């Protein structure tokens, strides 16, 4: 059984296939964190906090009511609460009606159930009764009647534990929640590195790894979106952990809004990791009888380095986060008009692009920004009026265009930005108070838009109706859901004064409601998430939309870094990647067509250019690329990724995908910068069967698995931007 409760020692053992997590109830009352790591049998001698802290033990014997503060200051707590002798960052902080914030959450009971309950209104990992087990531990503050339920779901095959917290006001007075972290883990060690994925528009999710220093190291978002700037993912690991060896503890929050991820190295040389909704500008009024559900944190344990940690995240997300018809691939190769035309297009031009794309092998045309009524070209167009098509550009409307595309056997995809509107839209004229704002105060416009207030049910219903009407009006089989601004001047006309600080989280609940409704109403439509490129690349969005536009930066050199960093937590099947024109529109760098194709074929493949501007050689190469991708896409989409060489360590990158059946292996190699007179790079593969023979499809050469892994294959690095995708077939 994955979850075992030992009554005699008051311990919970949460077992995955290769790891164990132990919670111990101090005096049967206070949950302590006892262990997280490699599998630990639940047989004597059992780990206890007492054996870890022998000198502290005496202090506790004096009784819980009068605890020595030094002792509490270094106790490994399972869910630290504000207002005790524990001086580190709390996970939970709430205020009672009398203004006080001190409480004691004590264990009162637990249940263990097979499977995994849904989290009300929130995206989450899902699992059947035979795939997971869930522990719900009930903690209660006797004096106030406030209950906190800690939820742990164990997915043994993935070495994953998911955690979330439900708070129930069982008292008779209001309680104001000030912080409800989803997970907190107190490690007994201090020698950790922290790995984060910071970035910016057009250079999202770069890898940053640094040793923990004393104090709190935090990354967060205060933008109303998970953001380009940080990602709700981080990993902690001993400093000698590498890509292929050592322990790694991965944390990821299934949430698209403001998060806080922190690691505190304290004076006792212990580390507390915390992950959850950002307490910044958050408070939540819980009236008697009401409950609050936190987002879910995913925790992955690996004892074989960062590569294995990532593969566990990838498998989990492919099998238990993504949903719908396109969960396992089967997605069209597309051509998007954005970088080809920007706002300047006509129906005729779009059909020409579609024809060019079709010739290359593409299966779908995406019409990007600017198709709605747009008197003035470009960013000043009235965003928000999704029911008014620009008849000058599209005289036959969306249906006319869609029918023509379908007639040439091309599917039709459409761009929306449903969370914003501009002041020159009809929608704004009708509902000026539907934006996030405070009356009489300034408002920041981004790309000339204001943020629709998704905390208001009537706004959500309006968006659902408008988008549904458009999707019903034309043969649309793909939607690109963009969001090009963030929340500023947070205030809502729909919320009472005492609930204003609920806006940011209520916005996310509204967004998830809209996404859930639309994606289940249109199950055949493939939805792609986007937020100024990869500004909301997170598990929350992925639960509704199985792919996300990874970055507005389509320069293949930049993309190598972005896709490498993104792969720390997210699978290739989720990463949209397109071939665009050269010189690149974001970096102005010229790159070979082959490199652009090879990099994009490591993700969810497509094109974003005007075929009329391509040379004949490029058209021929594109045909080969599409044919190659269609043949091998399942290996990329569903296979296991091995990051062989990191561009963050040398001007070269290598990725390997092994098919689910282990018979096909794709090896991607990229030279970023050449150096004169350097020997070819030996790229050593991983994860192969040592004794098996693998045939290089292009050359017919045969290699043993051992040779490929120990000697490797040679790749010239005598010129910038050399790239190759090799296919090895197991004999
Ligand atoms: C964002 C997206 C782009 C494109 C433009 C349209 O930047 O990331 O792909 O859709 O908006 O304005």
């Amino acid at each position: 059984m994955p979850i075992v409760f030992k009554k005699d020692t008051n311990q919970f053992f949460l077992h995955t296939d290769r790891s164990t997590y132990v919670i111990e109830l101090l005096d049967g009352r206070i949950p302590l964190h006892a262990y997280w790591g490699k599998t630990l049998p639940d047989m004597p001698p059992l780990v206890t906090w007492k054996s870890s802290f022998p000198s502290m033990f005496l202090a506790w014997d004096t009784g819980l009511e009068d605890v020595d503060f030094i002792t509490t200051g270094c106790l490994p707590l399972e869910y630290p609460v504000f207002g005790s002798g524990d001086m580190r960052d709390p996970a939970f902080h709430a205020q009672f009606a009398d203004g006080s914030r001190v409480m004691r959450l004590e264990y009162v009971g637990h249940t263990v159930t097979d499977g995994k309950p849904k989290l009300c209104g929130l995206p989450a990992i899902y699992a059947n009764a035979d795939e997971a087990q869930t522990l719900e531990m009930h903690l209660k503050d006797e004096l106030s009647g406030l209950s906190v339920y800690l939820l742990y779901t164990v997915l043994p095959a993935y070495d994953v534990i998911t955690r979330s917290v439900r708070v129930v006001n069982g008292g008779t007075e209001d309680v104001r929640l000030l912080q409800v972290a989803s997970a907190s883990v107190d490690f007994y060690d201090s020698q950790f590195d922290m790995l984060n994925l910071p970035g910016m528009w057009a250079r999202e999710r770069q890898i940053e790894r640094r040793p923990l220093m004393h104090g709190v190291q935090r990354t967060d978002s205060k933008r109303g979106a998970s953001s380009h700037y940080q990602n709700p993912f981080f990993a902690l690991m001993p400093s000698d952990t590498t890509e292929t060896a050592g322990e790694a503890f991965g944390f990821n929050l299934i949430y698209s809004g403001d998060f806080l991820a922190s690691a505190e190295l304290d004076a006792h040389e212990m580390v507390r990791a915390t992950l959850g909704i950002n307490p910044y500008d958050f408070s939540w009024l819980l009236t008697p009888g009401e409950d609050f559900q936190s987002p879910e944190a995913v925790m992955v344990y690996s004892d074989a380095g960062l590569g294995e940690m990532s593969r566990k995240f990838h498998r989990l997300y492919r099998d238990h986060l993504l949903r719908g018809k396109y969960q396992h691939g089967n997605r069209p190769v597309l051509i998007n008009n954005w970088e080809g035309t920007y706002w300047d297009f006509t129906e005729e031009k779009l059909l020409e692009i579609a024809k060019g794309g079709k010739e290359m092998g593409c299966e779908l045309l995406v019409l990007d920004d600017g198709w709605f009524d747009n008197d003035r070209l470009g960013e000043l167009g009235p965003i928000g009026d999704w029911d008014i098509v620009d008849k000058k550009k599209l005289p036959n409307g969306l249906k006319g265009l869609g029918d023509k595309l379908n007639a040439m056997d091309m599917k039709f995809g459409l761009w929306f930005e449903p969370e914003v509107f501009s002041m020159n839209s009809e929608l704004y004229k009708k509902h000026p108070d539907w934006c996030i704002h405070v009356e009489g105060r300034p408002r920041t416009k981004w790309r000339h838009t204001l943020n629709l207030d998704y905390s208001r049910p009537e706004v959500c219903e309006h968006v659902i109706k408008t988008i549904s009407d458009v999707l019903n009006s034309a043969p649309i089989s793909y939607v690109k859901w963009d969001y090009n601004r963030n929340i500023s001047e947070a205030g809502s006309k729909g919320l009472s004064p005492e609930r204003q600080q609920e806006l940011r989280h209520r916005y996310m609940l509204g967004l998830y409601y809209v996404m859930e409704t639309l994606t289940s109403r249109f199950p055949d439509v493939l939805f792609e998430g986007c937020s100024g490129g990869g500004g909301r690349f997170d598990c929350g969005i992925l639960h509704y939309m199985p792919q996300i536009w990874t970055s507005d930066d389509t320069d293949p050199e930049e993309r190598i870094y972005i896709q490498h960093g993104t792969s720390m937590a997210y699978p290739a099947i989720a990463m949209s990647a397109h071939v665009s024109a050269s010189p690149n529109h974001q970096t102005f760098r010229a790159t070979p067509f082959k490199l652009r194709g090879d990099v994009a074929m490591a993700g969810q493949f497509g094109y974003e250019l005007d075929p009329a501007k391509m040379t004949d050689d490029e058209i021929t190469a594109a045909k080969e690329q599409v044919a190659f991708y269609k043949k091998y896409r399942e290996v990329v989409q569903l296979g296991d990724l091995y990051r062989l060489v990191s561009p963050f360590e040398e001007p070269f990158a290598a990725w390997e995908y092994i098919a689910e059946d282990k018979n096909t292996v794709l090896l991607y190699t990229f030279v970023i910068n050449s150096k004169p007179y350097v020997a070819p790079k030996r790229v050593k593969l991983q994860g192969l069967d040592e004794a098996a023979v693998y045939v290089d499809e292009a050359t017919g050469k045969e290699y043993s698995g051992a040779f490929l892994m120990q000697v490797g294959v040679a790749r010239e690095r005598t010129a910038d931007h050399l790239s190759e995708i090799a296919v090895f077939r197991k004999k």
Side-chain angles (χ1 to χ4, degrees):
M1 292 292 273
I3 298 176
V4 180
F5 178 55
K6 295 251 160 205
K7 209 169 177 348
D8 49 339
T9 55
N10 267 322
Q11 288 173 314
F12 295 89
F13 281 73
L14 279 52
H15 293 297
T16 72
D17 287 356
R18 298 176 63 88
S19 73
T20 301
Y21 187 102
V22 185
I23 305 161
E24 180 170 330
L25 297 172
L26 173 64
D27 295 338
R29 298 200 268 171
I30 307 288
L32 302 183
H33 178 69
Y35 178 78
W36 184 26
K38 208 175 170 130
T39 296
L40 186 75
D42 45 358
M43 51 193 272
L46 297 173
V47 60
T48 70
W49 77 277
K50 289 175 184 173
S51 63
S52 305
F53 290 84
S55 57
M56 306 295 179
F57 179 48
L58 285 174
W60 275 96
D61 275 350
T62 61
L64 279 174
E65 306 316 322
D66 186 20
V67 181
D68 183 303
F69 86 95
I70 297 175
T71 310
T72 52
C74 68
L75 264 185
L77 300 172
E78 185 57 26
Y79 198 62
V81 178
F82 173 90
S84 72
D86 181 277
M87 304 290 166
R88 293 165 287 183
D89 273 355
F92 187 75
H93 188 184
Q95 185 169 36
F96 298 110
D98 65 0
S100 68
R101 284 105 55 226
V102 176
M103 71 184 80
R104 168 159 281 154
L105 290 176
E106 293 195 0
Y107 169 87
V108 289
H110 74 270
T111 58
V112 174
T113 47
D114 288 341
K116 187 171 188 302
K118 284 191 172 172
L119 299 192
C120 186
L122 283 165
I125 297 295
Y126 56 88
N128 292 329
D130 57 344
E131 295 165 324
Q133 219 174 38
T134 299
L135 163 69
E136 185 172 294
M137 190 187 294
H138 181 186
L139 311 179
K140 193 167 177 190
D141 178 48
E142 244 350 293
L143 210 58
S144 67
L146 187 72
S147 281
V148 170
Y149 295 85
L150 306 182
L151 272 92
Y152 301 79
T153 296
V154 183
L155 291 106
Y158 301 84
D159 293 323
V160 161
I161 295 173
T162 65
R163 286 180 63 173
S164 72
V165 174
R166 190 161 49 90
V167 188
V168 180
N169 183 356
T172 52
E173 290 185 299
D174 290 354
V175 176
R176 184 173 289 280
L177 303 177
L178 300 172
Q179 180 177 13
V180 186
S182 303
S184 172
V185 180
D186 278 356
F187 291 89
Y188 287 80
D189 304 300
S190 58
Q191 301 299 309
F192 280 115
D193 283 359
M194 188 178 194
L195 186 148
N196 296 101
L197 301 175
M200 178 45 181
W201 173 79
R203 48 184 162 83
E204 295 88 341
R205 291 170 298 285
Q206 308 291 305
I207 293 177
E208 213 167 68
R209 177 174 173 166
R210 60 198 156 153
L212 285 187
M213 301 290 178
H214 286 95
V216 183
Q217 278 103 107
R218 52 185 281 159
T219 58
D220 71 350
S221 171
K222 297 186 273 290
R223 314 181 68 90
S226 52
S227 90
H228 300 88
Y229 306 86
Q230 288 290 349
N231 192 268
F233 160 84
F234 69 100
L236 290 179
M237 71 223 104
S239 48
D240 56 357
T241 290
T242 64
E243 185 70 19
T244 52
E247 289 191 299
F249 300 87
F251 295 81
N252 202 355
L253 192 67
I254 305 184
Y255 195 55
S256 314
D258 295 334
F259 68 91
L260 172 64
S262 67
E264 179 171 9
L265 172 51
D266 65 33
H268 301 284
E269 306 299 331
M270 291 172 62
V271 169
R272 170 169 296 169
T274 311
L275 182 62
I277 290 187
N278 200 340
Y280 165 85
D281 196 26
F282 168 86
S283 84
W284 195 277
L285 194 63
L286 214 54
T287 58
E290 276 188 338
D291 64 348
F292 176 87
Q293 173 64 54
S294 85
E296 182 164 85
V298 180
M299 308 198 316
V300 169
Y301 173 77
S302 160
D303 62 354
L306 288 166
E308 189 56 22
M309 175 202 73
S310 297
R311 284 185 289 281
K312 287 175 181 177
F313 275 117
H314 298 172
R315 288 178 203 135
L316 178 79
Y317 295 160
R318 283 195 303 258
D319 298 346
H320 295 281
L321 177 70
L322 307 188
R323 297 179 300 169
K325 185 171 166 181
Y326 300 98
Q327 176 181 1
H328 300 295
N330 188 27
R331 305 181 196 162
V333 175
L334 60 83
I335 182 159
N336 179 309
N337 76 309
W338 178 241
E339 287 199 23
T341 65
Y342 294 102
W343 290 275
D344 191 8
F345 57 82
T346 58
E347 182 190 273
E348 207 183 346
K349 182 67 195 170
L350 294 172
L351 291 170
E352 183 196 304
I353 293 175
K355 191 162 168 267
K358 170 90 189 148
E359 197 189 331
M360 285 147 51
C362 296
E363 298 154 307
L364 181 142
L365 174 93
V366 180
L367 168 52
D368 213 284
D369 192 357
W371 54 265
F372 37 87
D373 196 17
N374 201 357
D375 287 331
R376 284 165 292 172
L377 263 190
E379 299 197 44
L380 293 173
I383 285 205
D385 298 334
W386 305 108
D387 48 344
I388 315 177
V389 175
D390 185 338
K391 287 284 181 158
K392 280 198 265 3
K393 291 178 183 171
L394 302 174
N396 303 305
L398 294 172
K399 172 140 174 46
L401 174 63
D403 286 345
K404 285 182 192 166
L405 288 168
N406 287 178
M408 64 193 321
D409 195 24
M410 282 289 272
K411 290 185 172 144
F412 179 28
L414 197 60
W415 178 95
F416 290 92
E417 195 178 356
E419 295 162 68
V420 304
F421 62 160
S422 55
M423 289 169 85
N424 57 353
S425 66
E426 292 303 314
L427 183 62
Y428 181 81
K429 284 174 206 152
K430 242 191 260 163
H431 298 289
D433 62 338
W434 274 14
C435 58
I436 290 178
H437 75 292
V438 175
E439 205 61 43
R441 298 288 181 188
R443 306 165 199 188
T444 306
K445 280 184 263 161
W446 290 19
R447 277 184 106 190
H448 311 282
T449 66
L450 298 168
N451 215 120
L452 274 166
D453 183 355
Y454 271 45
S455 75
R456 300 179 67 166
E458 61 274 36
V459 172
C460 294
E461 294 306 335
H462 167 83
V463 172
I464 290 170
K465 177 167 187 326
T466 321
I467 304 288
S468 297
D469 287 350
V470 177
L471 296 185
N472 284 324
S473 74
I476 295 164
S477 48
Y478 161 107
V479 165
K480 178 173 171 185
W481 182 292
D482 205 348
Y483 175 56
N484 282 305
R485 61 159 297 149
N486 289 152
I487 291 177
S488 58
E489 293 90 22
S492 170
K493 272 280 221 175
L495 295 172
S496 59
E498 64 275 12
R499 290 195 182 271
Q500 286 294 317
Q501 283 193 307
E502 297 177 13
L503 169 63
R504 291 162 182 273
H505 183 56
R506 284 193 185 276
Y507 183 93
M508 297 320 303
L509 294 176
L511 179 67
Y512 292 143
Y513 166 70
V514 172
M515 288 186 168
E516 176 71 29
T517 309
L518 284 171
T519 52
S520 42
R521 189 176 287 178
F522 296 95
D524 291 332
V525 173
L526 168 59
F527 284 82
E528 170 166 307
C530 175
S531 176
R536 219 166 39 182
F537 204 116
D538 59 63
C539 292
I541 299 298
L542 285 175
H543 192 55
Y544 306 96
M545 309 192 169
Q547 62 189 50
I548 296 176
W549 181 225
T550 314
S551 175
D552 273 347
D553 194 339
T554 52
D555 176 328
E557 192 177 312
E558 290 294 301
R559 271 295 184 121
I560 291 172
Y561 295 90
I562 295 167
Q563 292 173 204
H564 194 96
T566 304
S567 81
M568 265 298 148
Y570 307 100
I573 196 169
M575 285 186 231
S576 290
H578 299 169
V579 176
S580 62
S582 173
N584 181 267
H585 294 192
Q586 292 79 38
T587 61
F588 312 106
R589 185 185 283 126
T591 54
F593 194 76
K594 176 160 170 53
L595 177 72
R596 283 175 267 151
D598 288 353
V599 173
M601 281 193 281
Q604 202 44 62
F605 188 56
Y607 290 84
E608 179 141 352
L609 39 64
D610 180 358
K613 296 188 184 137
M614 291 166 73
T615 63
D616 289 348
D617 284 352
E618 285 175 341
I619 297 278
T620 307
K623 283 183 192 166
E624 286 167 14
Q625 286 171 350
V626 177
F628 179 90
Y629 187 75
K630 284 180 179 169
K631 188 165 172 198
Y632 293 110
R633 60 182 153 195
E634 283 195 359
V635 184
V636 177
Q637 293 168 338
L638 306 176
D640 270 338
L641 167 70
Y642 291 81
R643 290 180 297 256
L644 305 179
V645 183
S646 168
F648 292 94
E649 285 161 19
E650 51 185 303
F652 190 95
W655 302 325
E656 175 194 350
Y657 294 92
I658 303 185
E660 271 183 307
D661 66 6
K662 310 262 183 241
N663 290 329
T664 310
V665 179
L666 300 182
L667 173 64
Y668 290 65
T669 48
F670 310 104
V671 176
I672 297 171
N673 286 316
S674 62
K675 293 258 182 274
Y677 300 113
V678 286
K681 172 84 185 165
R682 285 224 166 253
V683 180
K684 295 177 186 171
L685 282 77
Q686 293 173 24
L688 303 181
D689 177 352
E690 278 183 17
V693 173
Y694 294 84
V695 186
D696 181 335
E697 284 227 320
T699 62
K701 270 195 187 166
E702 297 193 351
Y703 302 89
S704 69
F707 183 94
L708 291 174
M709 292 194 288
Q710 283 148 233
V711 181
V713 293
R715 291 289 179 265
E716 290 294 347
R717 43 184 164 169
T718 48
D720 286 357
H721 299 152
L722 288 176
S723 67
E724 191 176 327
I725 308 177
V727 182
F728 296 94
R729 284 240 184 242
K730 196 171 171 184
K731 231 177 139 179

